[in-house]
Structures are given as structure tokens and as C-alpha cells.
Amino acid sequence: MNNTTAQAATLRELLRTLIRKLGVLERSEAGCCDMTLSQCNALIEVGRAGVLSVNQLADRLNLDKSTASRVSDKLVLDGQLLRQEDPNDRRYVVLKLTERGSQTYANMENRMTAYFEEVMAGVDPAERTAMLRGLQTLDAALNSDSCC
Amino acid sequence: MNNTTAQAATLRELLRTLIRKLGVLERSEAGCCDMTLSQCNALIEVGRAGVLSVNQLADRLNLDKSTASRVSDKLVLDGQLLRQEDPNDRRYVVLKLTERGSQTYANMENRMTAYFEEVMAGVDPAERTAMLRGLQTLDAALNSDSCC
DNA sequence: AATAAATTGTTGCATAATGCAACTGATTCA
DNA sequence: TGAATCAGTTGCATTATGCAACAATTTATT
């Protein structure tokens, strides 16, 4: 169907520009916290989850476990994360935010919240729900596809 | 307005998962072509533009010009790009796809086209246009914001 | 016409990320 | 009890990245 082809092309183009813009946003955010992007992403995931193992962190970030191990090492060294032994299974490490890490996380959350509220405020109220639903539709479609 | 706050939070979460999924897709695509992600992105931009200068490539990829210079160097070395002197201004380099680069580009385009058609086919036809419009709305909102 | 300023692209340097394979220690399974 | 599996670490090699300084070229100024 010709229509799907054209729509698929439009989708790709929209996603391409979206990725670029969000990439800029992410890097700017990481810069604000004096961290690398990877460290930022790791801190956010631990912040959102409360506690994570190294393997869980790797899964969430789509990284090799060795990479997750190193980035969490760095964050522990910087005082942003705490590494604890799991009392139930000593193979496991439990990663959680330190007090300082919580501050950093809250700072990032606040800035990102403010940013996206601003973005949302720039959208016609009548279109906001439709926009979100569109993203939810895409999310579901990507889930059911075999690549992601 | 409480509504904007909740909607902003939903937007962030949707974008977070979208970035993760598309990141996996990008890396998988780069792997298919036996290239690094950065090289892939550079080739795609040159392919889409026809010709680009190094600075233009840097702008499109949101990279430092030194990085753009190196990644295009690599692609020239691999025979995917051709670097020519600009006859009008010898400061400029003109980057374009070689025959081999055109093949690589076409392969990537075909695979991505097929993938997104599959994604689109998984969306209810009645929702496709709304989904695309939602992404277009977001795109416009991000453009008018000061960060990107 | 000569000089200064700006632009393009390259290179040196330093930092960081990344994945694979191999390894250690711990737990589970047969 | 020994083998298999799991979690996490480490060595290794590769790649990406941006900043600053530089050379060559073009444009602007005097």
C-alpha cells in the first residue's frame, strides 16, 4: 500500500529530527550536572528504580554489564551512588543513590520537568492529549515489532 | 496548571522509552553495515544531502567540526565517501557518496524503510495519521523552545 | 595594495565509552 | 560433591569526542 510507504517515510524523518533534538537536550542536561551522558543516564535509572543491580542497570541502559559496572564504579567514586552487598545473595550488588546523588537526581528532574512543561505549554491545549496518544501509539507499535 | 505537569511527566516518560528503543535500532542498523554508529549517521546525512561540507556535516550531527572531520576521514578511507576540493573556495571540502557508499546507503534505506513500514502496518490505519500529527506537533513544540 | 579578521578544515591532546573474553566468587542443580 | 550457572570485575582493544592551536584560504578593512 502506497500510503504506508509514504507514512513510514514521514515517520522516519520525524524520528530522525526528534533523536537529534533530544540528543542535544540530553547532552546539555549532562553538562549541567558536570557529568558525562552515560553517567547521567545511569544515575537517572537508579533514581527512578530506587535500587538496581549492575545487571539490571545494564539491561535498562542497553549496555554490556562490564560497561554498567564501570559507570556505576565511577558514580560511586564521585559520591553519587552507594554500592551495597545484597544480604540475600552475595553475587549481587545493590546500587542506590547517596544523599548527594539524590540532590543531583532531584536537580535534573526539576530541570527536565520545567523544560517539558514549557514544551507542553507551547502546544495548543486541544492538541496535547492527541500528541501524547500519538506517542503512546508509536510506543506500542515499537514494542510489538521484533527489533526493539 | 496541574494538567500540564502530569502531561509533561507523561511526555518525558514516553520520550525516554522512545530514545532507548531507537537507540537499540540505530546500533543494530550500524552493526548490519559493519560500521560504527557515528559513521552510519555521517553516511546517512551525506546520502540525504547529496553533498556536504565538513562543517555542514558537523552541524547536522551536532558534533564538533574536528569530530566531523575525523569521521569523514574514516569513511573516505573505507571507500564510502569521496572528498573533493571545492573549485570555488579552496577552504571547502565537498563530501559525497562513492558508488560503494551509495550501495551502503541504499541498503540502510531499504532496511529502515521495511522496518518502519512494518511498524506502521502494526498501527491501526485510523490512528496512523493522528500518530504522525502528534509527532509533528511535538517537533514544532521542540523547535520553538529555546533549548533545541 | 597591504594587512587584519574570519572561515574552513586538520591535528595534537586528553578524556571517556564501549563490548568481548576471561576470570573470580557465589549460588544452584544434578 | 562436583558441575553448571549467575553476577560482577578486569584486561584489552577500539572508537568517539571536544578543546585549542594551527595552516591555508577568503573576505573585510584600511
Side-chain angles (χ1 to χ4, degrees), chain A residues 38-39 42 57 61 63 67-76:
Chain A
S38 198
Q39 290 162 7
L57 180 63
L61 296 177
L63 293 174
T67 308
S69 179
R70 288 191 179 98
V71 69
S72 54
D73 263 354
K74 187 65 162 72
L75 289 168
V76 168

Side-chain angles (χ1 to χ4, degrees), chain B residues 2 17 88:
Chain B
N2 216 352
T17 65
N88 297 324

Side-chain angles (χ1 to χ4, degrees), chain A residues 26-39:
Chain A
E26 280 191 317
R27 281 186 267 162
S28 147
E29 181 65 13
C32 283
C33 309
D34 205 26
M35 297 180 127
T36 69
L37 183 56
S38 198
Q39 290 162 7

Side-chain angles (χ1 to χ4, degrees), chain B:
Chain B
M1 156 139 339
N2 216 352
N3 202 25
T4 316
T5 303
Q7 287 178 321
T10 303
L11 178 60
R12 280 185 65 198
E13 196 57 29
L14 285 165
L15 291 180
R16 193 194 313 273
T17 65
L18 190 57
I19 287 181
R20 291 295 148 75
K21 287 164 186 163
L22 294 176
V24 173
L25 178 65
E26 282 192 314
R27 280 186 268 161
S28 147
E29 180 65 15
C32 283
C33 308
D34 203 29
M35 295 180 127
T36 69
L37 184 56
S38 198
Q39 289 162 8
C40 239
N41 287 335
L43 195 93
I44 288 170
E45 288 309 319
V46 176
R48 288 174 66 234
V51 297
L52 282 179
S53 70
V54 169
N55 263 353
Q56 286 173 323
L57 181 63
D59 285 343
R60 284 176 175 238
L61 297 176
N62 292 313
L63 293 174
D64 193 80
K65 56 183 178 166
S66 58
T67 308
S69 179
R70 286 190 181 99
V71 70
S72 53
D73 263 355
K74 187 66 164 74
L75 290 167
V76 168
L77 215 66
D78 288 346
Q80 308 270 8
L81 283 190
L82 180 64
R83 174 196 276 109
Q84 286 174 335
E85 199 175 277
D86 187 316
N88 297 324
D89 190 325
R90 284 186 305 203
R91 291 175 294 178
Y92 282 84
V93 142
V94 167
L95 297 169
K96 57 176 63 166
L97 296 181
T98 57
E99 178 57 35
R100 180 163 159 212
S102 297
Q103 295 267 353
T104 306
Y105 177 65
N107 287 345
M108 290 191 284
E109 285 295 292
N110 291 341
R111 270 198 303 276
M112 294 309 283
T113 295
Y115 174 76
F116 280 107
E117 283 186 346
E118 200 179 315
V119 167
M120 207 46 111
V123 175
D124 188 278
E127 291 179 8
R128 287 178 191 155
T129 306
M131 182 181 82
L132 292 177
R133 198 185 297 117
L135 285 165
Q136 280 155 351
T137 303
L138 177 60
D139 188 57
L142 291 174
N143 278 345
S144 64
D145 206 270
S146 56
C147 167
C148 310

